[in-house]
Amino acid sequence: MAEGQIRKAISGFYYVEHDGELIQCKSRGIFRLKGINPLVGDLVTYVPDGENDATITDVHPRKSELVRPPIANVDQVLLVFSVVEPDMSLRLLDRFLTVIESHQLEPIIYVSKEDLADKQTVENNEANLAYYQNIGYTVLRNSSPEESLLEVLRPYISEKTTVLAGQSGVGKSTLLNTILPELDLKTGEISDALGRGKHTTRHVELIEIAKGLVADTPGFSSLDFEHIDREELRDYFVEIREAGAGCKFRGCLHVKEPGCAVKAQVEEGTISEGRYKNYLLFLQEITDRKPRYS
């Protein structure tokens, strides 16, 4: 009996890291009856079943869990957004941030493809991203030719488990190839017709980089708000959550209520009008969704 961490899962087999080696494991049949599904990132107990085969007998409690991508015990999300090809969408960025916040994970925004954009586009994005920095988000870029991308990311990914996410075509696989060339991950060309990249990542795998673990995954395949109640959404916009403490009514949704501190800060320009409009759009989307019946 030994313990390790699932680093990748392919075709019903789980590859558990133990003392620098990957042990091929299968899971116990009883897991399915109990509704337990081992995930990449899980800490597990396994029993050797031959020279390099084993059976997972226990899945340890998780500190976090994502369904899409299926991965456990994540600390943070490295959110890759390109300046061009595809152009940066702040609404999509807010959508990602909302989903990440709802899972109580730390988001880090990495800006890619600045070298492909004209000066005006870069400056416009700088102004927009300055707001996200002001409300507490980390925004990274690789703008210094003297510093490698790995050196830029090292302080943020060391000793952490990180999931990559972002719109298709923004350069997630390219980023991983740059910081770990031996991966040689397949990168998809952007479809001119769709403006989206082809999905090139097929399975979830944790890769050791800079004393941390980075998940090469298909990313967040779903960005819906099915798991978020309308009363919870305000908590996932950090500046709205903070300003909301000053509202006249405790259950204020910051829409039409009197004495709303959030709307006051939007009018003052303290809270971004664009972010607030996205909050209202997301709130309406959650309000309009069909009820779920179990």
Side-chain angles (χ1 to χ4, degrees):
M1 189 174 290
E3 294 183 355
Q5 182 184 41
I6 299 177
R7 292 291 176 85
K8 63 179 175 178
I10 304 174
S11 303
F13 287 99
Y14 303 93
Y15 295 84
V16 176
E17 191 278 334
H18 178 79
D19 287 344
E21 292 186 21
L22 284 182
I23 312 297
Q24 180 177 284
C25 299
K26 56 183 182 289
S27 65
R28 295 177 62 192
I30 197 170
F31 284 171
R32 188 173 297 173
L33 295 175
K34 290 184 175 181
I36 299 172
N37 181 32
L39 297 175
V40 170
D42 270 331
L43 300 174
V44 298
T45 301
Y46 65 90
V47 175
D49 217 10
E51 191 171 325
N52 197 38
D53 290 302
T55 300
I56 295 171
T57 58
D58 187 38
V59 176
H60 300 190
R62 297 162 177 160
K63 66 180 178 182
S64 65
E65 177 184 343
L66 295 174
V67 177
R68 291 172 288 189
I71 190 168
N73 298 318
V74 171
D75 297 304
Q76 60 189 14
V77 179
L78 181 59
L79 193 49
V80 184
F81 260 71
S82 59
V83 176
V84 292
E85 298 181 17
D87 295 344
M88 184 173 291
S89 163
L90 296 181
R91 182 173 298 168
L92 185 60
L93 176 58
D94 286 340
R95 199 171 184 90
F96 268 105
L97 289 172
T98 301
V99 172
I100 293 165
E101 291 279 357
S102 74
H103 289 290
Q104 285 77 54
L105 299 175
E106 182 77 19
I108 297 172
I109 302 167
Y110 176 78
V111 184
S112 68
K113 301 188 182 181
E114 282 190 323
D115 57 322
L116 301 180
D118 60 58
K119 185 179 178 182
Q120 187 61 55
T121 302
V122 171
E123 288 178 357
N124 290 343
N125 276 288
E126 282 289 321
N128 289 328
L129 291 170
Y131 177 80
Y132 290 87
Q133 287 180 294
N134 289 337
I135 61 174
Y137 288 119
T138 299
V139 178
L140 303 176
R141 52 181 54 79
N142 187 24
S143 53
S144 171
E146 291 81 26
E147 193 173 26
S148 70
L149 177 55
L150 180 57
E151 292 309 311
V152 171
L153 297 178
R154 186 186 299 277
Y156 300 93
I157 62 178
S158 179
E159 309 296 333
K160 298 282 183 71
T161 298
T162 306
V163 165
L164 283 179
Q167 187 179 6
S168 294
V170 294
K172 297 186 294 294
S173 291
T174 301
L175 182 145
L176 272 178
N177 281 337
T178 303
I179 59 179
L180 203 66
E182 55 266 35
L183 283 177
D184 193 24
L185 296 168
K186 182 183 177 186
T187 55
E189 292 183 357
I190 301 214
S191 162
D192 289 333
L194 296 175
R196 299 195 299 262
K198 299 172 185 176
H199 289 291
T200 55
T201 310
R202 298 300 176 202
H203 65 274
V204 180
E205 180 173 356
L206 283 173
I207 303 158
E208 292 186 23
I209 301 175
K211 296 183 179 178
L213 293 171
V214 177
D216 178 33
T217 79
F220 287 80
S221 58
S222 174
L223 283 172
D224 60 39
F225 302 134
E226 286 297 314
H227 61 294
I228 299 175
D229 293 331
R230 66 195 299 266
E231 291 79 14
E232 295 175 328
L233 180 66
R234 59 194 171 195
D235 293 332
Y236 305 141
F237 280 70
V238 289
E239 72 275 46
I240 289 176
R241 180 175 68 229
E242 291 172 5
C247 289
K248 181 178 180 180
F249 297 105
R250 189 176 177 186
C252 185
L253 287 177
H254 322 305
V255 182
K256 294 180 180 177
E257 301 90 336
C260 176
V262 169
K263 287 190 291 181
Q265 288 199 23
V266 172
E267 289 172 10
E268 293 165 6
T270 308
I271 290 178
S272 158
E273 184 178 5
R275 279 267 290 175
Y276 176 65
K277 285 181 177 178
N278 286 340
Y279 164 77
L280 293 179
L281 278 172
F282 299 165
L283 186 66
Q284 192 62 50
E285 180 180 331
I286 292 170
T287 302
D288 291 345
R289 75 184 173 202
K290 293 179 181 178
R292 290 166 293 174
Y293 301 101
S294 55

PDB file of all heavy atoms in Angstrom, residues 152-185:
ATOM      1  N   VAL A 152       9.231  34.939 -15.991  1.00  0.00           N
ATOM      2  CA  VAL A 152       8.071  35.771 -15.669  1.00  0.00           C
ATOM      3  C   VAL A 152       7.068  34.979 -14.826  1.00  0.00           C
ATOM      4  O   VAL A 152       6.509  35.478 -13.843  1.00  0.00           O
ATOM      5  CB  VAL A 152       7.391  36.285 -16.959  1.00  0.00           C
ATOM      6  CG1 VAL A 152       6.061  36.969 -16.636  1.00  0.00           C
ATOM      7  CG2 VAL A 152       8.310  37.250 -17.700  1.00  0.00           C
ATOM      8  N   LEU A 153       6.847  33.716 -15.211  1.00  0.00           N
ATOM      9  CA  LEU A 153       5.820  32.903 -14.563  1.00  0.00           C
ATOM     10  C   LEU A 153       6.298  32.203 -13.289  1.00  0.00           C
ATOM     11  O   LEU A 153       5.478  31.882 -12.416  1.00  0.00           O
ATOM     12  CB  LEU A 153       5.304  31.847 -15.546  1.00  0.00           C
ATOM     13  CG  LEU A 153       4.597  32.362 -16.798  1.00  0.00           C
ATOM     14  CD1 LEU A 153       4.198  31.196 -17.685  1.00  0.00           C
ATOM     15  CD2 LEU A 153       3.366  33.183 -16.439  1.00  0.00           C
ATOM     16  N   ARG A 154       7.606  31.964 -13.181  1.00  0.00           N
ATOM     17  CA  ARG A 154       8.146  31.142 -12.083  1.00  0.00           C
ATOM     18  C   ARG A 154       7.634  31.546 -10.698  1.00  0.00           C
ATOM     19  O   ARG A 154       7.179  30.681  -9.930  1.00  0.00           O
ATOM     20  CB  ARG A 154       9.680  31.161 -12.108  1.00  0.00           C
ATOM     21  CG  ARG A 154      10.316  30.211 -11.095  1.00  0.00           C
ATOM     22  CD  ARG A 154      11.828  30.386 -11.062  1.00  0.00           C
ATOM     23  NE  ARG A 154      12.443  30.097 -12.350  1.00  0.00           N
ATOM     24  CZ  ARG A 154      12.755  28.871 -12.766  1.00  0.00           C
ATOM     25  NH1 ARG A 154      12.501  27.834 -11.990  1.00  0.00           N
ATOM     26  NH2 ARG A 154      13.295  28.690 -13.952  1.00  0.00           N
ATOM     27  N   PRO A 155       7.670  32.839 -10.323  1.00  0.00           N
ATOM     28  CA  PRO A 155       7.225  33.192  -8.972  1.00  0.00           C
ATOM     29  C   PRO A 155       5.753  32.876  -8.708  1.00  0.00           C
ATOM     30  O   PRO A 155       5.348  32.753  -7.551  1.00  0.00           O
ATOM     31  CB  PRO A 155       7.461  34.713  -8.905  1.00  0.00           C
ATOM     32  CG  PRO A 155       8.397  35.028 -10.018  1.00  0.00           C
ATOM     33  CD  PRO A 155       8.108  34.026 -11.081  1.00  0.00           C
ATOM     34  N   TYR A 156       4.987  32.747  -9.780  1.00  0.00           N
ATOM     35  CA  TYR A 156       3.544  32.559  -9.617  1.00  0.00           C
ATOM     36  C   TYR A 156       3.123  31.089  -9.678  1.00  0.00           C
ATOM     37  O   TYR A 156       2.066  30.726  -9.142  1.00  0.00           O
ATOM     38  CB  TYR A 156       2.787  33.356 -10.682  1.00  0.00           C
ATOM     39  CG  TYR A 156       3.067  34.833 -10.593  1.00  0.00           C
ATOM     40  CD1 TYR A 156       4.076  35.422 -11.358  1.00  0.00           C
ATOM     41  CD2 TYR A 156       2.351  35.646  -9.711  1.00  0.00           C
ATOM     42  CE1 TYR A 156       4.363  36.774 -11.256  1.00  0.00           C
ATOM     43  CE2 TYR A 156       2.624  36.999  -9.603  1.00  0.00           C
ATOM     44  CZ  TYR A 156       3.632  37.564 -10.373  1.00  0.00           C
ATOM     45  OH  TYR A 156       3.919  38.905 -10.262  1.00  0.00           O
ATOM     46  N   ILE A 157       3.928  30.249 -10.339  1.00  0.00           N
ATOM     47  CA  ILE A 157       3.532  28.842 -10.467  1.00  0.00           C
ATOM     48  C   ILE A 157       4.308  27.912  -9.542  1.00  0.00           C
ATOM     49  O   ILE A 157       3.906  26.767  -9.349  1.00  0.00           O
ATOM     50  CB  ILE A 157       3.664  28.354 -11.935  1.00  0.00           C
ATOM     51  CG1 ILE A 157       5.105  28.427 -12.418  1.00  0.00           C
ATOM     52  CG2 ILE A 157       2.745  29.153 -12.843  1.00  0.00           C
ATOM     53  CD1 ILE A 157       5.287  27.896 -13.847  1.00  0.00           C
ATOM     54  N   SER A 158       5.392  28.398  -8.946  1.00  0.00           N
ATOM     55  CA  SER A 158       6.179  27.571  -8.034  1.00  0.00           C
ATOM     56  C   SER A 158       5.346  27.173  -6.819  1.00  0.00           C
ATOM     57  O   SER A 158       4.644  28.000  -6.237  1.00  0.00           O
ATOM     58  CB  SER A 158       7.428  28.340  -7.579  1.00  0.00           C
ATOM     59  OG  SER A 158       8.193  27.567  -6.679  1.00  0.00           O
ATOM     60  N   GLU A 159       5.418  25.882  -6.464  1.00  0.00           N
ATOM     61  CA  GLU A 159       4.710  25.336  -5.292  1.00  0.00           C
ATOM     62  C   GLU A 159       3.189  25.427  -5.417  1.00  0.00           C
ATOM     63  O   GLU A 159       2.471  25.308  -4.426  1.00  0.00           O
ATOM     64  CB  GLU A 159       5.149  26.041  -3.993  1.00  0.00           C
ATOM     65  CG  GLU A 159       6.649  26.102  -3.770  1.00  0.00           C
ATOM     66  CD  GLU A 159       7.285  24.722  -3.604  1.00  0.00           C
ATOM     67  OE1 GLU A 159       6.573  23.800  -3.162  1.00  0.00           O
ATOM     68  OE2 GLU A 159       8.483  24.578  -3.923  1.00  0.00           O
ATOM     69  N   LYS A 160       2.676  25.638  -6.622  1.00  0.00           N
ATOM     70  CA  LYS A 160       1.227  25.738  -6.824  1.00  0.00           C
ATOM     71  C   LYS A 160       0.790  24.744  -7.903  1.00  0.00           C
ATOM     72  O   LYS A 160       1.591  24.324  -8.739  1.00  0.00           O
ATOM     73  CB  LYS A 160       0.832  27.151  -7.274  1.00  0.00           C
ATOM     74  CG  LYS A 160       1.152  28.266  -6.291  1.00  0.00           C
ATOM     75  CD  LYS A 160       0.140  28.309  -5.167  1.00  0.00           C
ATOM     76  CE  LYS A 160       0.411  29.461  -4.215  1.00  0.00           C
ATOM     77  NZ  LYS A 160       0.114  30.768  -4.832  1.00  0.00           N
ATOM     78  N   THR A 161      -0.500  24.398  -7.894  1.00  0.00           N
ATOM     79  CA  THR A 161      -1.089  23.623  -8.988  1.00  0.00           C
ATOM     80  C   THR A 161      -1.952  24.585  -9.799  1.00  0.00           C
ATOM     81  O   THR A 161      -2.885  25.192  -9.273  1.00  0.00           O
ATOM     82  CB  THR A 161      -1.939  22.453  -8.467  1.00  0.00           C
ATOM     83  OG1 THR A 161      -1.092  21.558  -7.731  1.00  0.00           O
ATOM     84  CG2 THR A 161      -2.581  21.688  -9.623  1.00  0.00           C
ATOM     85  N   THR A 162      -1.610  24.719 -11.070  1.00  0.00           N
ATOM     86  CA  THR A 162      -2.193  25.751 -11.923  1.00  0.00           C
ATOM     87  C   THR A 162      -2.895  25.138 -13.124  1.00  0.00           C
ATOM     88  O   THR A 162      -2.358  24.240 -13.770  1.00  0.00           O
ATOM     89  CB  THR A 162      -1.083  26.700 -12.431  1.00  0.00           C
ATOM     90  OG1 THR A 162      -0.353  27.212 -11.316  1.00  0.00           O
ATOM     91  CG2 THR A 162      -1.660  27.846 -13.242  1.00  0.00           C
ATOM     92  N   VAL A 163      -4.091  25.626 -13.416  1.00  0.00           N
ATOM     93  CA  VAL A 163      -4.805  25.233 -14.632  1.00  0.00           C
ATOM     94  C   VAL A 163      -4.703  26.370 -15.632  1.00  0.00           C
ATOM     95  O   VAL A 163      -4.856  27.540 -15.280  1.00  0.00           O
ATOM     96  CB  VAL A 163      -6.295  24.942 -14.327  1.00  0.00           C
ATOM     97  CG1 VAL A 163      -7.115  24.888 -15.608  1.00  0.00           C
ATOM     98  CG2 VAL A 163      -6.438  23.626 -13.596  1.00  0.00           C
ATOM     99  N   LEU A 164      -4.425  26.035 -16.877  1.00  0.00           N
ATOM    100  CA  LEU A 164      -4.441  27.023 -17.961  1.00  0.00           C
ATOM    101  C   LEU A 164      -5.850  27.149 -18.507  1.00  0.00           C
ATOM    102  O   LEU A 164      -6.551  26.151 -18.643  1.00  0.00           O
ATOM    103  CB  LEU A 164      -3.513  26.586 -19.102  1.00  0.00           C
ATOM    104  CG  LEU A 164      -2.011  26.766 -18.930  1.00  0.00           C
ATOM    105  CD1 LEU A 164      -1.305  26.237 -20.170  1.00  0.00           C
ATOM    106  CD2 LEU A 164      -1.651  28.205 -18.712  1.00  0.00           C
ATOM    107  N   ALA A 165      -6.254  28.356 -18.806  1.00  0.00           N
ATOM    108  CA  ALA A 165      -7.574  28.564 -19.402  1.00  0.00           C
ATOM    109  C   ALA A 165      -7.522  29.768 -20.314  1.00  0.00           C
ATOM    110  O   ALA A 165      -6.594  30.575 -20.260  1.00  0.00           O
ATOM    111  CB  ALA A 165      -8.630  28.769 -18.312  1.00  0.00           C
ATOM    112  N   GLY A 166      -8.523  29.902 -21.156  1.00  0.00           N
ATOM    113  CA  GLY A 166      -8.583  31.025 -22.082  1.00  0.00           C
ATOM    114  C   GLY A 166      -9.308  30.636 -23.340  1.00  0.00           C
ATOM    115  O   GLY A 166      -9.523  29.458 -23.620  1.00  0.00           O
ATOM    116  N   GLN A 167      -9.695  31.632 -24.111  1.00  0.00           N
ATOM    117  CA  GLN A 167     -10.374  31.402 -25.384  1.00  0.00           C
ATOM    118  C   GLN A 167      -9.494  30.582 -26.313  1.00  0.00           C
ATOM    119  O   GLN A 167      -8.269  30.691 -26.293  1.00  0.00           O
ATOM    120  CB  GLN A 167     -10.704  32.751 -26.012  1.00  0.00           C
ATOM    121  CG  GLN A 167     -11.551  32.690 -27.262  1.00  0.00           C
ATOM    122  CD  GLN A 167     -11.838  34.078 -27.803  1.00  0.00           C
ATOM    123  OE1 GLN A 167     -11.309  35.058 -27.296  1.00  0.00           O
ATOM    124  NE2 GLN A 167     -12.654  34.164 -28.829  1.00  0.00           N
ATOM    125  N   SER A 168     -10.097  29.740 -27.131  1.00  0.00           N
ATOM    126  CA  SER A 168      -9.330  28.957 -28.103  1.00  0.00           C
ATOM    127  C   SER A 168      -8.544  29.885 -29.019  1.00  0.00           C
ATOM    128  O   SER A 168      -9.054  30.913 -29.465  1.00  0.00           O
ATOM    129  CB  SER A 168     -10.262  28.087 -28.948  1.00  0.00           C
ATOM    130  OG  SER A 168     -10.881  27.111 -28.155  1.00  0.00           O
ATOM    131  N   GLY A 169      -7.301  29.516 -29.281  1.00  0.00           N
ATOM    132  CA  GLY A 169      -6.490  30.289 -30.204  1.00  0.00           C
ATOM    133  C   GLY A 169      -5.639  31.364 -29.557  1.00  0.00           C
ATOM    134  O   GLY A 169      -4.892  32.060 -30.244  1.00  0.00           O
ATOM    135  N   VAL A 170      -5.734  31.522 -28.213  1.00  0.00           N
ATOM    136  CA  VAL A 170      -4.976  32.602 -27.569  1.00  0.00           C
ATOM    137  C   VAL A 170      -3.524  32.216 -27.309  1.00  0.00           C
ATOM    138  O   VAL A 170      -2.700  33.069 -26.984  1.00  0.00           O
ATOM    139  CB  VAL A 170      -5.621  33.037 -26.228  1.00  0.00           C
ATOM    140  CG1 VAL A 170      -6.976  33.660 -26.473  1.00  0.00           C
ATOM    141  CG2 VAL A 170      -5.715  31.875 -25.246  1.00  0.00           C
ATOM    142  N   GLY A 171      -3.204  30.920 -27.415  1.00  0.00           N
ATOM    143  CA  GLY A 171      -1.814  30.518 -27.286  1.00  0.00           C
ATOM    144  C   GLY A 171      -1.484  29.746 -26.022  1.00  0.00           C
ATOM    145  O   GLY A 171      -0.365  29.832 -25.519  1.00  0.00           O
ATOM    146  N   LYS A 172      -2.426  28.947 -25.514  1.00  0.00           N
ATOM    147  CA  LYS A 172      -2.154  28.177 -24.292  1.00  0.00           C
ATOM    148  C   LYS A 172      -1.088  27.110 -24.539  1.00  0.00           C
ATOM    149  O   LYS A 172      -0.138  26.972 -23.764  1.00  0.00           O
ATOM    150  CB  LYS A 172      -3.443  27.547 -23.766  1.00  0.00           C
ATOM    151  CG  LYS A 172      -4.506  28.555 -23.344  1.00  0.00           C
ATOM    152  CD  LYS A 172      -5.703  27.908 -22.692  1.00  0.00           C
ATOM    153  CE  LYS A 172      -6.501  27.022 -23.619  1.00  0.00           C
ATOM    154  NZ  LYS A 172      -7.167  27.779 -24.709  1.00  0.00           N
ATOM    155  N   SER A 173      -1.254  26.329 -25.613  1.00  0.00           N
ATOM    156  CA  SER A 173      -0.264  25.292 -25.919  1.00  0.00           C
ATOM    157  C   SER A 173       1.073  25.914 -26.298  1.00  0.00           C
ATOM    158  O   SER A 173       2.138  25.402 -25.945  1.00  0.00           O
ATOM    159  CB  SER A 173      -0.766  24.386 -27.052  1.00  0.00           C
ATOM    160  OG  SER A 173      -1.850  23.599 -26.619  1.00  0.00           O
ATOM    161  N   THR A 174       1.033  27.048 -27.018  1.00  0.00           N
ATOM    162  CA  THR A 174       2.269  27.751 -27.365  1.00  0.00           C
ATOM    163  C   THR A 174       2.994  28.200 -26.108  1.00  0.00           C
ATOM    164  O   THR A 174       4.228  28.091 -26.005  1.00  0.00           O
ATOM    165  CB  THR A 174       1.961  28.977 -28.251  1.00  0.00           C
ATOM    166  OG1 THR A 174       1.296  28.525 -29.438  1.00  0.00           O
ATOM    167  CG2 THR A 174       3.219  29.720 -28.634  1.00  0.00           C
ATOM    168  N   LEU A 175       2.234  28.685 -25.121  1.00  0.00           N
ATOM    169  CA  LEU A 175       2.834  29.101 -23.857  1.00  0.00           C
ATOM    170  C   LEU A 175       3.524  27.922 -23.172  1.00  0.00           C
ATOM    171  O   LEU A 175       4.672  28.035 -22.717  1.00  0.00           O
ATOM    172  CB  LEU A 175       1.755  29.696 -22.943  1.00  0.00           C
ATOM    173  CG  LEU A 175       2.203  30.233 -21.576  1.00  0.00           C
ATOM    174  CD1 LEU A 175       1.382  31.465 -21.197  1.00  0.00           C
ATOM    175  CD2 LEU A 175       2.052  29.185 -20.480  1.00  0.00           C
ATOM    176  N   LEU A 176       2.848  26.778 -23.115  1.00  0.00           N
ATOM    177  CA  LEU A 176       3.453  25.603 -22.478  1.00  0.00           C
ATOM    178  C   LEU A 176       4.679  25.139 -23.257  1.00  0.00           C
ATOM    179  O   LEU A 176       5.699  24.758 -22.663  1.00  0.00           O
ATOM    180  CB  LEU A 176       2.432  24.459 -22.387  1.00  0.00           C
ATOM    181  CG  LEU A 176       1.546  24.438 -21.149  1.00  0.00           C
ATOM    182  CD1 LEU A 176       0.561  23.281 -21.225  1.00  0.00           C
ATOM    183  CD2 LEU A 176       2.372  24.325 -19.875  1.00  0.00           C
ATOM    184  N   ASN A 177       4.608  25.165 -24.586  1.00  0.00           N
ATOM    185  CA  ASN A 177       5.761  24.774 -25.391  1.00  0.00           C
ATOM    186  C   ASN A 177       6.956  25.692 -25.141  1.00  0.00           C
ATOM    187  O   ASN A 177       8.115  25.259 -25.172  1.00  0.00           O
ATOM    188  CB  ASN A 177       5.413  24.809 -26.888  1.00  0.00           C
ATOM    189  CG  ASN A 177       4.633  23.590 -27.316  1.00  0.00           C
ATOM    190  OD1 ASN A 177       4.697  22.550 -26.674  1.00  0.00           O
ATOM    191  ND2 ASN A 177       3.874  23.709 -28.393  1.00  0.00           N
ATOM    192  N   THR A 178       6.690  26.976 -24.910  1.00  0.00           N
ATOM    193  CA  THR A 178       7.753  27.944 -24.688  1.00  0.00           C
ATOM    194  C   THR A 178       8.469  27.695 -23.366  1.00  0.00           C
ATOM    195  O   THR A 178       9.698  27.770 -23.285  1.00  0.00           O
ATOM    196  CB  THR A 178       7.190  29.384 -24.702  1.00  0.00           C
ATOM    197  OG1 THR A 178       6.526  29.601 -25.952  1.00  0.00           O
ATOM    198  CG2 THR A 178       8.290  30.414 -24.549  1.00  0.00           C
ATOM    199  N   ILE A 179       7.706  27.390 -22.310  1.00  0.00           N
ATOM    200  CA  ILE A 179       8.338  27.214 -21.002  1.00  0.00           C
ATOM    201  C   ILE A 179       8.827  25.780 -20.788  1.00  0.00           C
ATOM    202  O   ILE A 179       9.631  25.529 -19.899  1.00  0.00           O
ATOM    203  CB  ILE A 179       7.395  27.632 -19.848  1.00  0.00           C
ATOM    204  CG1 ILE A 179       6.100  26.828 -19.848  1.00  0.00           C
ATOM    205  CG2 ILE A 179       7.088  29.121 -19.936  1.00  0.00           C
ATOM    206  CD1 ILE A 179       5.148  27.199 -18.715  1.00  0.00           C
ATOM    207  N   LEU A 180       8.361  24.847 -21.628  1.00  0.00           N
ATOM    208  CA  LEU A 180       8.824  23.467 -21.519  1.00  0.00           C
ATOM    209  C   LEU A 180       8.879  22.859 -22.917  1.00  0.00           C
ATOM    210  O   LEU A 180       7.998  22.103 -23.317  1.00  0.00           O
ATOM    211  CB  LEU A 180       7.883  22.655 -20.614  1.00  0.00           C
ATOM    212  CG  LEU A 180       8.460  21.403 -19.958  1.00  0.00           C
ATOM    213  CD1 LEU A 180       9.552  21.771 -18.962  1.00  0.00           C
ATOM    214  CD2 LEU A 180       7.375  20.612 -19.267  1.00  0.00           C
ATOM    215  N   PRO A 181       9.917  23.205 -23.709  1.00  0.00           N
ATOM    216  CA  PRO A 181       9.974  22.828 -25.121  1.00  0.00           C
ATOM    217  C   PRO A 181       9.854  21.330 -25.379  1.00  0.00           C
ATOM    218  O   PRO A 181       9.342  20.927 -26.429  1.00  0.00           O
ATOM    219  CB  PRO A 181      11.357  23.341 -25.560  1.00  0.00           C
ATOM    220  CG  PRO A 181      11.690  24.411 -24.576  1.00  0.00           C
ATOM    221  CD  PRO A 181      11.074  23.997 -23.284  1.00  0.00           C
ATOM    222  N   GLU A 182      10.307  20.494 -24.428  1.00  0.00           N
ATOM    223  CA  GLU A 182      10.274  19.056 -24.684  1.00  0.00           C
ATOM    224  C   GLU A 182       8.850  18.502 -24.782  1.00  0.00           C
ATOM    225  O   GLU A 182       8.643  17.378 -25.230  1.00  0.00           O
ATOM    226  CB  GLU A 182      11.050  18.279 -23.608  1.00  0.00           C
ATOM    227  CG  GLU A 182      10.627  18.537 -22.173  1.00  0.00           C
ATOM    228  CD  GLU A 182      11.462  19.632 -21.515  1.00  0.00           C
ATOM    229  OE1 GLU A 182      11.845  20.600 -22.205  1.00  0.00           O
ATOM    230  OE2 GLU A 182      11.722  19.505 -20.313  1.00  0.00           O
ATOM    231  N   LEU A 183       7.869  19.307 -24.361  1.00  0.00           N
ATOM    232  CA  LEU A 183       6.482  18.856 -24.497  1.00  0.00           C
ATOM    233  C   LEU A 183       6.091  18.710 -25.959  1.00  0.00           C
ATOM    234  O   LEU A 183       5.404  17.770 -26.337  1.00  0.00           O
ATOM    235  CB  LEU A 183       5.532  19.864 -23.836  1.00  0.00           C
ATOM    236  CG  LEU A 183       5.417  19.851 -22.323  1.00  0.00           C
ATOM    237  CD1 LEU A 183       4.504  20.959 -21.870  1.00  0.00           C
ATOM    238  CD2 LEU A 183       4.895  18.514 -21.833  1.00  0.00           C
ATOM    239  N   ASP A 184       6.503  19.689 -26.775  1.00  0.00           N
ATOM    240  CA  ASP A 184       6.183  19.716 -28.190  1.00  0.00           C
ATOM    241  C   ASP A 184       4.692  19.476 -28.420  1.00  0.00           C
ATOM    242  O   ASP A 184       4.275  18.631 -29.206  1.00  0.00           O
ATOM    243  CB  ASP A 184       7.009  18.663 -28.958  1.00  0.00           C
ATOM    244  CG  ASP A 184       6.931  18.901 -30.462  1.00  0.00           C
ATOM    245  OD1 ASP A 184       6.671  20.046 -30.864  1.00  0.00           O
ATOM    246  OD2 ASP A 184       7.123  17.925 -31.224  1.00  0.00           O
ATOM    247  N   LEU A 185       3.861  20.218 -27.696  1.00  0.00           N
ATOM    248  CA  LEU A 185       2.415  20.072 -27.820  1.00  0.00           C
ATOM    249  C   LEU A 185       1.942  20.565 -29.179  1.00  0.00           C
ATOM    250  O   LEU A 185       2.446  21.539 -29.710  1.00  0.00           O
ATOM    251  CB  LEU A 185       1.704  20.873 -26.720  1.00  0.00           C
ATOM    252  CG  LEU A 185       1.980  20.409 -25.290  1.00  0.00           C
ATOM    253  CD1 LEU A 185       1.465  21.450 -24.313  1.00  0.00           C
ATOM    254  CD2 LEU A 185       1.324  19.078 -25.022  1.00  0.00           C
TER     255      LEU A 185
END
